[in-house]
Amino acid sequence: GNSVTQMEGPVTLSEEAFLTINCTYTATGYPSLFWYVQYPGEGLQLLLKATKADDKGSNKGFEATYRKETTSFHLEKGSVQVSDSAVYFCALTGGTGGYQKVTFGIGTKLQVIP
Amino acid sequence: EAGVAQSPRYKIIEKRQSVAFWCNPISGHATLYWYQQILGQGPKLLIQFQNNGVVDDSQLPKDRFSAERLKGVDSTLKIQPAKLEDSAVYLCASSLAGLGGANVLTFGAGSRLTVL
């Protein structure tokens, strides 16, 4: 079945540091890939997405590129802020058509310190 | 637009008691999902509805969990009887359609259940 593997946290960075959160996936067909973010006390919300190989999703300074050859979708940000402290979830939808289930990774907690 | 509404936000019960969670999705969203998120883990799909029909309940513990989606709009998730391992946050999400890729989910704030 489909699965998502992402690096375990917590990740602690100083403000303005470079962020990478690794995500790899296993899926049949051609999945769509997502990053969701969960800020403290809030529900999950979509951060960015990519629907086909080599697509780059971007939002709020975050980027991730759909790499089919390495089955990866790593999240990056050049300069993190304290307000980026949250839990980040990599996710995919199944790639074989029909009603598609969204599969999530375990989440990576990011803490940014001033 | 209004978001996905869930209630209650918090519930504490003793094992073997029952509990129900309610979800009202975004208007017009055909697909509704219930996820279970145990502390330190990613969300796990319990059940997925397309309108008022179930399209995936393969991970729903049917001996104790049940869910329905009345008239294809709001939904209720029930646990009876609860076990200690049911302590988790129950997330409701909705999307325009479950068909095809790039299926973006909108989540509610979640209902946190503690079973003592």
Side-chain angles (χ1 to χ4, degrees):
Chain A
N2 297 335
S3 67
V4 175
T5 302
Q6 62 180 109
M7 60 189 289
E8 292 193 27
V11 174
T12 302
L13 295 173
S14 297
E15 206 165 19
E16 299 183 3
F18 183 86
L19 168 71
T20 299
I21 300 178
N22 291 335
C23 171
T24 57
Y25 67 90
T26 302
T28 55
Y30 303 96
S32 295
L33 303 174
F34 307 81
W35 279 100
Y36 283 82
V37 59
Q38 187 173 32
Y39 297 104
E42 300 183 15
L44 279 77
Q45 57 186 274
L46 179 70
L47 179 60
L48 54 83
K49 67 179 182 181
T51 59
K52 60 184 187 295
D54 300 325
D55 265 3
K56 178 184 285 188
S58 62
N59 186 26
K60 299 181 180 180
F62 290 89
E63 293 183 339
T65 302
Y66 189 162
R67 302 287 189 198
K68 191 168 178 62
E69 64 276 13
T70 55
T71 62
S72 65
F73 193 55
H74 305 321
L75 183 68
E76 296 182 336
K77 186 175 186 181
S79 176
V80 294
Q81 305 300 312
V82 172
S83 57
D84 294 326
S85 298
V87 182
Y88 293 82
F89 294 90
C90 187
L92 65 81
T93 54
T96 55
Y99 294 107
Q100 298 186 354
K101 184 169 67 176
V102 182
T103 302
F104 287 87
I106 63 171
T108 302
K109 184 175 182 178
L110 170 66
Q111 182 178 11
V112 180
I113 55 177
Chain B
E1 63 179 2
V4 175
Q6 288 189 247
S7 67
R9 285 296 309 277
Y10 305 93
K11 189 73 175 179
I12 300 174
I13 62 173
E14 295 188 349
K15 59 183 179 183
R16 291 187 290 275
Q17 287 186 325
S18 63
V19 63
F21 301 111
W22 173 82
C23 173
N24 190 29
I26 291 175
S27 177
H29 278 195
T31 311
L32 185 147
Y33 312 76
W34 283 103
Y35 283 86
Q36 180 191 57
Q37 186 178 15
I38 293 173
L39 186 64
Q41 299 182 19
K44 182 183 84 170
L45 181 68
L46 293 176
I47 190 166
Q48 178 176 343
F49 292 95
Q50 184 71 18
N51 295 308
N52 59 354
V54 176
V55 298
D56 188 338
D57 64 356
S58 57
Q59 298 193 90
L60 186 74
K62 298 180 184 65
D63 58 334
R64 298 183 300 105
F65 286 65
S66 64
E68 60 181 2
R69 189 178 184 192
L70 304 173
K71 300 179 182 178
V73 182
D74 56 352
S75 176
T76 302
L77 176 71
K78 296 180 181 179
I79 307 174
Q80 182 179 12
K83 292 185 175 181
L84 296 177
E85 59 260 36
D86 298 332
S87 294
V89 177
Y90 291 85
L91 300 169
C92 180
S94 68
S95 67
L96 276 173
L99 286 167
N103 192 20
V104 177
L105 274 59
T106 301
F107 283 86
S111 294
R112 181 179 297 276
L113 173 66
T114 301
V115 182
L116 303 176

